[in-house]
Amino acid sequence: VYYFSNGNRYDGLWYKDYQQGLGTMYYYNGDKYIGNWEHDKRSGQGKYIFSNGAYYDGSWKNDMKNGHGLFCWPDHSSFTGDWVNNLKDGKGIYIYSDGDEYTGEWKNDLQNGYGKLTKKAGDTFEGNFKNGKIDGEVIIHYANGSRFKGSYKKGMRNGPAIEEDKDGNRFEGSYIDDRRDGRFVEKDRNGNVTRSGRYESGRRFEN
């Protein structure tokens, strides 16, 4: 056992004055790391337990989370997937504390790329994400049986869209910043036009 001047304590293997191989570091702030070391740095498989109850169990390189691993937060949210230099980067599954779940691609610690967000209530959002928000083409299946197919930008509906209720009735139109805007038609389940007109900033005008 080696005691550091800053209050840390290391119990494990050494090689030529380096922490090398399996070992446990007890940090002065109450954190603890159990796992592999290489040249005094966390490297390989290991588990880091924070004093607040959070923990990371997975792959390390150069003292940082690198590779595949599981991180659990005190609020019971968790991420299982790929890490690059302590950031979520690659593919992974994030489970939110409220029960929502995102499965898909990550970059720079945020949802970036193709993914699927499943809400606890049953709604699902599947499509492209950018910096943590839906951005691009998306298909939404609502728990009540209806669905939305269209474009999102910065987390809001923007562009052409098709909406269909559980009975097959359709709305074809467009959105600007989450409000219907522009020409629209509504059709029954057989494709017959039932209504048409336009929207202006969410206000409806029928022909």
Side-chain angles (χ1 to χ4, degrees):
V1 179
Y2 185 86
Y3 294 85
F4 294 84
S5 59
N6 63 358
N8 292 347
R9 175 166 53 95
Y10 176 74
D11 184 2
L13 299 175
W14 295 80
Y15 180 72
K16 292 184 178 180
D17 291 331
Y18 291 110
Q19 294 148 229
Q20 187 89 3
L22 293 176
T24 301
M25 180 72 81
Y26 301 88
Y27 295 93
Y28 68 90
N29 62 357
D31 294 354
K32 180 171 66 173
Y33 172 79
I34 308 166
N36 201 67
W37 295 81
E38 185 174 336
H39 281 78
D40 290 340
K41 294 182 178 181
R42 298 183 292 271
S43 193
Q45 291 300 117
K47 185 175 183 178
Y48 192 106
I49 305 168
F50 295 84
S51 59
N52 64 1
Y55 68 87
Y56 171 79
D57 191 355
S59 182
W60 297 79
K61 186 177 182 180
N62 293 327
D63 251 0
M64 293 185 288
K65 298 183 284 289
N66 273 289
H68 191 82
L70 163 67
F71 197 110
C72 291
W73 284 267
D75 64 0
H76 304 298
S77 59
S78 67
F79 174 80
T80 304
D82 301 323
W83 299 80
V84 175
N85 296 336
N86 282 340
L87 301 178
K88 296 183 283 289
D89 201 306
K91 293 184 178 181
I93 301 172
Y94 189 98
I95 300 176
Y96 296 82
S97 59
D98 61 4
D100 293 352
E101 180 178 313
Y102 171 84
T103 302
E105 297 176 328
W106 296 75
K107 189 73 176 176
N108 295 325
D109 223 32
L110 292 171
Q111 296 99 323
N112 275 291
Y114 193 82
K116 182 178 181 180
L117 176 65
T118 303
K119 295 285 191 176
K120 184 179 180 181
D123 299 344
T124 63
F125 300 73
E126 188 168 1
N128 293 301
F129 287 74
K130 184 177 181 180
N131 295 330
K133 294 182 178 181
I134 301 171
D135 196 287
E137 294 300 309
V138 64
I139 297 177
I140 305 171
H141 292 275
Y142 295 99
N144 64 7
S146 61
R147 73 184 189 110
F148 170 94
K149 182 178 181 180
S151 298
Y152 264 65
K153 187 175 182 179
K154 296 181 180 179
M156 293 186 291
R157 290 169 290 186
N158 274 286
I162 297 174
E163 296 175 77
E164 191 172 285
D165 65 21
K166 61 182 179 62
D167 298 317
N169 301 309
R170 288 163 63 103
F171 165 87
E172 299 176 6
S174 59
Y175 281 82
I176 295 179
D177 293 341
D178 240 10
R179 291 191 293 187
R180 288 179 175 176
D181 198 285
R183 304 292 302 176
F184 80 90
V185 295
E186 292 179 355
K187 300 177 181 179
D188 62 22
R189 62 186 303 171
N190 296 315
N192 300 311
V193 175
T194 56
R195 290 181 176 85
S196 64
R198 74 184 191 282
Y199 277 90
E200 294 179 6
S201 299
R203 294 178 59 199
R204 180 183 174 110
F205 301 91
E206 293 190 13
N207 291 335

